[in-house]
């Protein structure tokens, strides 16, 4: 196959990228986007600070720009993200009353998902709720601190009602290594949700890797989560210096797991990456493919 998207489709998977609405008018950018990718995640445009900058006042303009581009080019979209401690407006993080915060969170989920109803393949309903390090517990956030452990379940239940056709994902970073306490904490949550019928369909592994690439246990992690009865996806892949072998190993881990349904890289050209100076992507600043691109394409 001649593109990442077509190559991934040979095994029923997708290959996606993060997109910034402000770059869609750049022809180098949009040419590579539309040639190579069949799934899109809005890099920032569907986050809370953009979508609901003040209470009850919704701005879907930038997200809609990306959505219309994808609809015109036959690409699907992941929704990113509904409940996250970061890129969260101050009016939310300063709420101290549980009843108020619960209705604000549920309303944000409902309004956002209703706006895009039927048009989103999967939503990252909750992003990065677990702490780094050895605790295996939730991180501190206004949601955790005011609503308690149950906020994640509440978010997923609300999301299912808002758009029953969208897959509902939990998304996080540093959960790729099976033996890490953070990985185990997320695993226990997913196992608990599945056993109690809390709606969850997928787990996103951000996969922001150092130049050494994925941990040796990455495929084991993907398959252990999949065995709980959820799909898994690589959602924000970038690897410092983009070593071809590290990229191939990452892609191969997904291909080896039947329920790993797709891979998304976090940007197109190195100059589009949030990891400034690390050149972690598949295309150089001119939009030319790098060695890692050929490696990914031939692995798919
Ligand atoms: C990053 C974007 O790439 C940047 O443009 C923005 O300034 C900060 O957020 N985990 C996530 C993504 O889930 O939303 C983050 O994206 C990268 C880390």
């Amino acid at each position: 196959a001649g593109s990442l998207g077509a190559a991934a489709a040979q095994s029923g998977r997708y290959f996606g990228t993060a997109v910034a609405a402000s770059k869609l008018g750049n022809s180098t950018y949009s040419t590579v986007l539309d040639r190579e990718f069949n799934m899109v995640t809005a890099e920032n445009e569907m986050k809370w600070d953009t979508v609901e900058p003040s209470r009850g006042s919704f701005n879907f303009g930038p997200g809609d720009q990306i959505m219309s581009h994808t609809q015109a080019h036959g690409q699907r979209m992941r929704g990113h993200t509904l409940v996250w401690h970061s890129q969260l407006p101050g009016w939310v993080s300063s709420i101290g009353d549980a009843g108020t915060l619960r209705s604000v969170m549920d309303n944000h989920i409902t309004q956002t998902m209703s706006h895009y109803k039927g048009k989103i393949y999967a939503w990252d309903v909750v992003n990065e709720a677990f702490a780094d390090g050895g605790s295996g517990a939730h991180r501190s956030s206004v949601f955790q601190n005011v609503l308690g452990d149950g906020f994640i379940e509440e978010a997923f239940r609300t999301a299912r009602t808002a758009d029953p056709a969208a897959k509902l994902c939990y998304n996080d970073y540093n959960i790729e290594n099976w033996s890490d306490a953070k990985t185990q904490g997320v695993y226990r949550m997913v196992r608990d949700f599945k056993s109690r019928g809390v709606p969850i369909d997928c787990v996103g592994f951000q996969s922001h890797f150092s130049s050494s690439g994925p941990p040796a246990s990455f495929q084991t992690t993907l398959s252990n989560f999949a065995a709980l009865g959820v799909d898994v996806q690589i959602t924000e892949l970038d690897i410092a210096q983009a070593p071809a072998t590290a990229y191939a190993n990452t892609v191969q881990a997904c291909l080896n797991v039947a329920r790993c349904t797709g891979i998304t890289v976090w940007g197109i050209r190195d100059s589009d990456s949030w990891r400034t100076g690390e050149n972690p992507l598949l295309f150089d600043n001119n939009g030319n493919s790098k060695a890692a691109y050929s490696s990914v394409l031939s692995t798919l």
Side-chain angles (χ1 to χ4, degrees), residues 145-213:
N145 303 344
V146 175
L147 299 178
D149 283 339
F151 87 88
I152 304 181
E153 172 170 353
E154 168 87 10
F156 276 85
R157 289 190 186 281
T158 303
R160 181 65 95 217
T161 303
D163 183 357
K167 292 188 183 297
L168 307 182
C169 300
Y170 177 78
N171 192 55
D172 214 330
Y173 66 93
N174 281 354
I175 57 167
E176 294 85 10
N177 188 351
W178 177 244
S179 61
D180 284 355
K182 188 172 175 182
T183 308
Q184 292 299 310
V186 175
Y187 181 82
R188 284 191 297 270
M189 176 189 75
V190 176
R191 190 175 57 190
D192 170 58
F193 279 15
K194 294 302 286 186
S195 75
R196 292 189 298 111
V198 180
I200 184 168
D201 305 305
C202 37
V203 175
F205 297 80
Q206 292 185 8
S207 307
H208 296 295
F209 294 134
S210 74
S211 59
S212 35

Side-chain angles (χ1 to χ4, degrees), residues 30-50:
S30 57
T31 298
V32 179
L33 168 61
D34 299 334
R35 186 185 68 222
E36 299 290 342
F37 299 99
N38 53 15
M39 183 71 75
V40 164
T41 305
E43 187 171 3
N44 291 295
E45 291 79 351
M46 295 186 186
K47 293 173 180 176
W48 198 316
D49 59 354
T50 296

Side-chain angles (χ1 to χ4, degrees), residues 4 15 247 265 268 280-284 288-290 292-293 296:
L4 298 169
F15 207 100
Y247 261 102
V265 289
I268 299 177
L281 295 175
L282 301 178
F283 296 88
D284 69 18
N288 295 317
S289 63
K290 297 162 60 182
Y293 171 88
V296 166

Side-chain angles (χ1 to χ4, degrees), residues 18 42-44 47 80-81 84 86-87 124 127-128 171 173 206 208 236 266 272-274:
E43 187 171 3
N44 291 295
K47 293 173 180 176
H80 178 76
T81 177
W84 187 26
S86 186
Q87 292 179 272
D124 292 329
N127 196 33
E128 301 183 352
N171 192 55
Y173 66 93
Q206 292 185 8
H208 296 295
E236 303 183 13
W266 204 242
D272 300 315
S273 175
W274 70 308

